[in-house]
């Protein structure tokens, strides 16, 4: 009888342990479910951020706190709907709502204004434009087909679409300039360039980076190299102190690049696959003067599970373009294919690094 009692007691303890383990597993799965649902709702924050950017609400908050009704009156929007958008933005610290229902633009939200230096408004509009948004929504297509989702949605590759759609092209180039402006000075400070000679900004857009480089290196002359429609919006003539030290060169970096002592390629290689990058870098290698260097300014994907903007940008590239963000090993292989050698990687205060190459 005693043995039976012990066995019964043992089975009871085992049953309790199993129930406890099952309860713990149940709790973990519940937490996981709640977490994943919350993460899936995360896409609504950039949607709200874009809506606020589109109607220019931040410009009016620059004058001080205001109620949704007051803001709706000056932005031509629906007060209750505007309040709901601002309420979500307040959860991420872009705005703050006080006890009287008035909203204030926080320090973190100041760059949503269009009337401040380093305004991010057009960058937000570019990053959430339909050309980025729609392909991201069909990312699973990239997994099953191994190709960008953009072509199937818009009927042509990314840059071909831009060439045919002036609205999209304007959104992209203006937005990219806004995204780049806060980065240019700290990146230029890290770039080590020759004291004299010519630096060529390949695919340099409106010239913001080149201007910063020339300011910091008075012995250099610069060439802004890009397509004609992009060069039309350049800003190099805005700084009179740079007069006579720069020139524009129209062309296609898949065909050739102007000769130079140093090349800058900011956010260029991540747009293209390895073969296309090898072509671009190969042109730089052939045009590079003796002792020169090629500076690729792109994000370098770090090892490990930690957050890094490059990992998000990489999925944007996968969805809309043929390129990708690369690791140090990827860059070394890319340079080798173009007759170059990775010499060093210099971190900057931004998400981008200076990935430097010399002739192999």
């Amino acid at each position: 009888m005693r043995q039976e009692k012990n066995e019964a007691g043992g089975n009871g303890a085992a049953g309790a342990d199993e129930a406890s383990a099952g309860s713990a597993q149940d709790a973990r799965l519940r937490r996981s479910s709640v977490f994943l649902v919350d993460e899936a709702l995360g896409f609504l924050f950039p949607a709200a951020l874009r809506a606020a950017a589109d109607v220019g609400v931040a410009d009016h908050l620059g004058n001080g706190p205001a109620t949704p009704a007051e803001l709706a009156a000056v932005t031509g929007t629906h007060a209750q709907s505007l309040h709901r958008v601002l309420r979500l933005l307040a959860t991420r610290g872009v705005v703050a709502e006080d006890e009287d229902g008035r909203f204030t633009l926080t320090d973190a939200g100041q760059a949503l204004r269009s009337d401040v230096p380093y305004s991010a408004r057009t960058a937000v509009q570019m990053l959430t434009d339909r050309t980025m948004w729609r392909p991201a929504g069909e990312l699973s297509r990239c997994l099953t087909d191994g190709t960008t989702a953009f072509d199937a949605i818009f009927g042509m590759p990314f840059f071909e679409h831009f060439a045919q759609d002036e609205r999209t092209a304007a959104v992209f180039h203006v937005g990219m300039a806004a995204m780049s402006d806060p980065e240019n000075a700290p990146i230029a400070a890290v770039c080590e360039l020759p004291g004299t000679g010519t630096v060529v900004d390949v695919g340099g857009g409106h010239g913001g980076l080149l201007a910063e480089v020339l300011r910091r290196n008075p012995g250099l002359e610069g060439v802004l190299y890009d397509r004609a429609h992009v060069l039309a919006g350049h800003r190099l003539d805005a700084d009179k102190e740079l007069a006579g030290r720069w020139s524009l060169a129209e062309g296609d970096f898949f065909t050739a690049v102007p000769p130079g002592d140093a090349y800058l390629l900011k956010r260029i290689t991540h747009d293209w696959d390895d073969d296309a990058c090898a072509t671009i870098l190969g042109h730089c290698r052939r045009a590079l003067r003796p002792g020169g260097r090629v500076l690729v300014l792109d994000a370098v994907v770090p090892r490990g599970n930690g957050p890094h903007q490059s990992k998000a940008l990489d999925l944007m590239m996968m969805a809309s373009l043929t390129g990708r963000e690369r690791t140090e090993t990827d860059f070394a292989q890319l340079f080798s294919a173009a007759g170059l050698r990775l010499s060093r990687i210099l971190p900057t205060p931004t998400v981008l690094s200076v990935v430097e190459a010399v002739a192999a």
Side-chain angles (χ1 to χ4, degrees):
M1 293 290 293
R2 188 174 299 160
Q3 183 177 357
E4 290 176 1
K5 222 181 245 191
N6 287 342
E7 289 176 356
N11 290 337
D17 288 344
E18 290 175 3
S20 177
S23 177
Q25 172 69 355
D26 186 72
R28 284 194 294 270
L29 290 173
R30 286 177 185 272
R31 287 194 298 270
S32 173
S33 179
V34 171
F35 167 76
L36 293 174
V37 168
D38 193 47
E39 288 293 294
L41 287 168
F43 76 96
L44 291 166
F45 175 75
L49 194 60
R50 178 184 178 84
D54 281 347
V55 302
V57 68
D59 286 354
H60 300 286
L61 284 173
N63 300 322
T67 66
E70 292 168 339
L71 292 168
V74 293
T75 58
T77 56
H78 184 260
Q80 186 184 58
S81 298
L82 182 59
H83 177 260
R84 293 161 73 180
V85 166
L86 293 173
R87 182 171 59 190
L88 179 60
L89 294 181
T91 68
R92 302 285 286 272
V94 175
V95 295
E97 184 177 10
D98 64 22
E99 294 182 354
D100 298 322
R102 297 180 304 171
F103 283 89
T104 302
L105 199 61
T106 66
D107 285 348
Q110 288 295 325
L112 196 58
R113 295 168 56 183
S114 62
D115 58 348
V116 295
Y118 309 121
S119 170
R121 181 185 178 189
T122 56
V124 167
Q125 291 172 309
M126 182 266 292
L127 291 169
T128 57
D129 187 72
R130 60 193 176 90
T131 52
M132 304 294 187
W133 190 275
R134 289 184 60 191
E138 298 192 27
L139 204 61
S140 55
R141 184 193 297 268
C142 303
L143 302 182
T144 56
D145 299 347
T147 60
T148 173
F150 189 97
D151 295 21
I153 295 171
F154 292 98
M156 64 188 74
F158 188 84
F159 287 110
E160 286 186 23
H161 177 70
F162 276 28
Q164 298 185 24
D165 187 334
E166 292 184 6
R167 184 206 70 84
T168 301
V171 167
F172 179 76
H173 292 298
V174 173
M176 280 302 300
M179 188 173 173
S180 293
D181 283 347
E183 304 171 331
N184 288 332
I187 289 174
V190 172
C191 293
E192 295 188 12
L193 295 162
T196 59
T198 301
V199 57
V200 181
D201 193 351
V202 179
H206 292 170
L209 175 63
L210 183 60
E212 290 289 349
V213 165
L214 293 178
R215 290 187 193 107
R216 290 180 176 274
N217 298 271
L220 287 178
E221 294 185 350
V223 176
L224 184 62
Y225 183 63
D226 215 317
R227 299 276 193 167
H229 70 279
V230 179
L231 294 176
H234 84 87
R235 298 173 294 167
L236 289 172
D237 52 5
D239 189 339
K240 302 306 180 185
E241 293 183 5
L242 300 181
R245 294 179 54 208
W246 57 267
S247 61
L248 305 179
E250 175 189 339
D252 178 357
F253 51 51
F254 285 115
T255 302
V257 298
D261 300 283
Y263 290 90
L264 305 173
L265 294 92
K266 184 184 179 196
R267 296 189 186 273
I268 298 297
T269 61
H270 78 158
D271 287 341
W272 305 97
D273 62 28
D274 288 355
D275 289 342
C277 287
T279 297
I280 299 168
L281 292 169
H283 290 314
C284 294
R285 169 64 186 91
R286 284 185 285 276
L288 187 65
R289 291 172 180 151
R293 65 195 74 171
V294 176
L295 306 183
V296 171
L297 311 172
D298 254 326
V300 179
V301 183
R303 296 180 179 180
N305 300 319
H308 194 266
Q309 192 185 93
S310 64
K311 298 175 183 179
L313 289 172
D314 187 46
L315 295 194
M316 179 178 287
M317 297 301 106
M318 183 169 70
S320 291
L321 292 126
T322 61
R324 60 191 175 103
E325 306 300 332
R326 293 177 171 86
T327 65
E328 180 177 347
T329 299
D330 293 331
F331 278 114
Q333 294 173 347
L334 200 59
F335 289 144
S336 179
L340 296 164
R341 175 177 58 82
L342 174 63
S343 55
R344 57 182 173 170
I345 296 178
L346 302 173
T348 78
T350 77
V351 69
L352 305 185
S353 293
V354 179
V355 188
E356 184 183 278
V358 295

